[in-house]
Amino acid sequence: MKKYIKKAAAVIAVAGMALSTAACSNGGKTVASYKGGKITQQEYYDDMKKSQAGKTALANMIINRVLEQQYGNKVSKKQVDKQYNNYKKQYGSQFDAVLQQNGMTAASFKQNLKTNLLTEAALKDIKKISKSQEEKAWKAYQPKVTVQHILVSKKSKAEEITKELKNGKSFKSLVKKYSLDTGTKNNEGKLPAFDSTDTSLDPAFKNAAFKLKTGETTKSPVKSQSGYHVIRMIKHPAKGSFASHKKEIDDQIYQSMSQDQQTMHDVLAKVIKKAGVNIKDNDLKDVLAAYVSTSTNKK
């Protein structure tokens, strides 16, 4: 989840939105008091708008609201809840602790998920995929394959396992005896089916797997961040036609676009421009300077 939250923050930093600038009105209302004095909303507002935290909070609020205004009909509560429940299931009993470690609540995490979905909707609306992009992605595309593997910590152990397989030992028995992957060890080392668009697996692991035909096993250890692998291909289907995989291809292209900082900067700049944002407070006129020219922020 930490990886996801960092990714979401790269598009738009949502954390800290609670630092509301609602103090524009009723400025005499007391926010806090102490013996011999108090802090009013106006004082709080005047101090916050001069800080980077305050400016960031306002920029976040503006971007979230214009995204909601323009693309809210493309993102449903059901979509947000589905993603939220997937993360909750993935982290199990540790979910609340992980949220807390990242300084988030269930509500703020759902807001992050929604913002990410709204930004994806904006990306797909503003940036259209070209035929040449699809052709390039299709050339590199690999269909979903099913493999089993044995993970060990040393290259020499992986080489030893390869020799045992050549001598007739079953893959299943060697998984049970040697594999350090507790998540797949009790299922003969089988991984969920994956294609070339998968981002959860180590690239070296995927590349080695895609070179195997059905029934083949890697002849040398495959090094990844987790250790060394011996991989066996259970099912490697034919690539098929582009038409049958167009959705996966387009999703892969958009996923790549979403990770490009300049692309997402351009997308958000167009969303903000379309919204006709008008900053009324001269001290805050530059809060969107990272996205648009300050000349558009007329007082």
Side-chain angles (χ1 to χ4, degrees), residues 75-86:
V75 177
S76 66
K77 182 177 182 297
K78 185 177 180 181
Q79 288 175 284
V80 176
D81 288 343
K82 182 180 179 180
Q83 285 196 0
Y84 177 84
N85 290 331
N86 285 340

Side-chain angles (χ1 to χ4, degrees), residues 32-39:
S33 63
Y34 52 92
K35 291 180 179 180
K38 63 180 181 179
I39 299 173

Side-chain angles (χ1 to χ4, degrees), residues 217-264:
T217 302
T218 48
K219 293 181 173 59
S220 57
V222 178
K223 185 179 180 180
S224 76
Q225 294 180 348
S226 303
Y228 292 88
H229 306 261
V230 177
I231 308 170
R232 180 177 179 273
M233 179 60 68
I234 298 173
K235 183 179 180 182
H236 193 156
K239 191 170 182 177
S241 66
F242 169 77
S244 64
H245 296 291
K246 186 179 188 304
K247 184 180 184 303
E248 293 100 308
I249 293 297
D250 287 352
D251 285 345
Q252 180 183 24
I253 294 170
Y254 277 124
Q255 175 67 22
S256 178
M257 284 186 184
S258 72
Q259 294 173 354
D260 184 82
Q261 188 175 1
Q262 186 59 52
T263 297
M264 297 314 301

Side-chain angles (χ1 to χ4, degrees), residues 27-288:
K29 187 174 180 180
T30 299
V31 173
S33 63
Y34 52 92
K35 291 180 179 180
K38 63 180 181 179
I39 299 173
T40 65
Q41 283 190 348
Q42 187 63 52
E43 289 172 327
Y44 175 68
Y45 171 71
D46 289 342
D47 188 63
M48 283 302 297
K49 72 178 183 177
K50 296 174 184 177
S51 69
Q52 188 56 51
K55 291 180 178 180
T56 298
L58 178 58
N60 291 339
M61 292 178 72
I62 292 170
I63 294 173
N64 271 280
R65 293 192 185 189
V66 297
L67 281 169
E68 177 70 41
Q69 182 185 58
Q70 294 175 32
Y71 299 101
N73 63 337
K74 296 183 181 295
V75 177
S76 66
K77 182 177 182 297
K78 185 177 180 181
Q79 288 175 284
V80 176
D81 288 343
K82 182 180 179 180
Q83 285 196 0
Y84 177 84
N85 290 331
N86 285 340
Y87 279 105
K88 191 172 183 179
K89 182 178 179 181
Q90 179 183 349
Y91 286 91
S93 60
Q94 299 298 312
F95 182 67
D96 290 340
V98 173
L99 282 180
Q100 188 174 12
Q101 288 168 10
N102 285 279
M104 307 190 79
T105 63
S108 63
F109 184 51
K110 281 187 176 183
Q111 179 60 55
N112 265 349
L113 293 173
K114 185 175 183 179
T115 297
N116 203 40
L117 288 169
L118 287 169
T119 307
E120 287 176 10
L123 171 64
K124 291 179 179 180
D125 178 49
I126 293 170
K127 298 289 186 180
K128 301 303 181 184
I129 294 174
S130 68
K131 185 176 180 180
S132 62
Q133 284 177 301
E134 288 183 327
E135 289 174 347
K136 183 179 179 181
W138 173 242
K139 187 176 181 180
Y141 179 75
Q142 287 286 343
K144 283 191 175 183
V145 300
T146 306
V147 305
Q148 57 188 151
H149 79 130
I150 301 170
L151 172 66
V152 292
S153 60
K154 295 182 178 180
K155 182 179 180 181
S156 58
K157 177 59 69 175
E159 291 173 335
E160 179 185 325
I161 292 169
T162 299
K163 289 180 181 179
E164 289 192 47
L165 287 169
K166 288 181 179 179
N167 291 332
K169 292 285 186 178
S170 72
F171 204 95
K172 178 181 178 180
S173 65
L174 295 179
V175 169
K176 188 174 183 180
K177 183 176 181 180
Y178 295 114
S179 187
L180 301 177
D181 185 355
T182 57
T184 64
K185 188 170 185 175
N186 294 325
N187 189 32
E188 301 180 16
K190 293 180 182 178
L191 290 168
F194 61 91
D195 60 22
S196 56
T197 68
D198 183 279
T199 58
S200 64
L201 294 173
D202 189 285
F205 183 98
K206 289 195 299 180
N207 291 337
F210 291 139
K211 293 177 182 178
L212 300 172
K213 295 179 181 179
T214 299
E216 285 187 339
T217 302
T218 48
K219 293 181 173 59
S220 57
V222 178
K223 185 179 180 180
S224 76
Q225 294 180 348
S226 303
Y228 292 88
H229 306 261
V230 177
I231 308 170
R232 180 177 179 273
M233 179 60 68
I234 298 173
K235 183 179 180 182
H236 193 156
K239 191 170 182 177
S241 66
F242 169 77
S244 64
H245 296 291
K246 186 179 188 304
K247 184 180 184 303
E248 293 100 308
I249 293 297
D250 287 352
D251 285 345
Q252 180 183 24
I253 294 170
Y254 277 124
Q255 175 67 22
S256 178
M257 284 186 184
S258 72
Q259 294 173 354
D260 184 82
Q261 188 175 1
Q262 186 59 52
T263 297
M264 297 314 301
H265 174 281
D266 294 343
V267 167
L268 290 176
K270 289 183 179 181
V271 170
I272 293 167
K273 184 177 180 180
K274 183 179 178 181
V277 177
N278 186 359
I279 306 297
K280 301 292 187 180
D281 191 316
N282 195 52
D283 291 333
L284 295 167
K285 65 180 181 179
D286 64 343
V287 294
L288 297 174

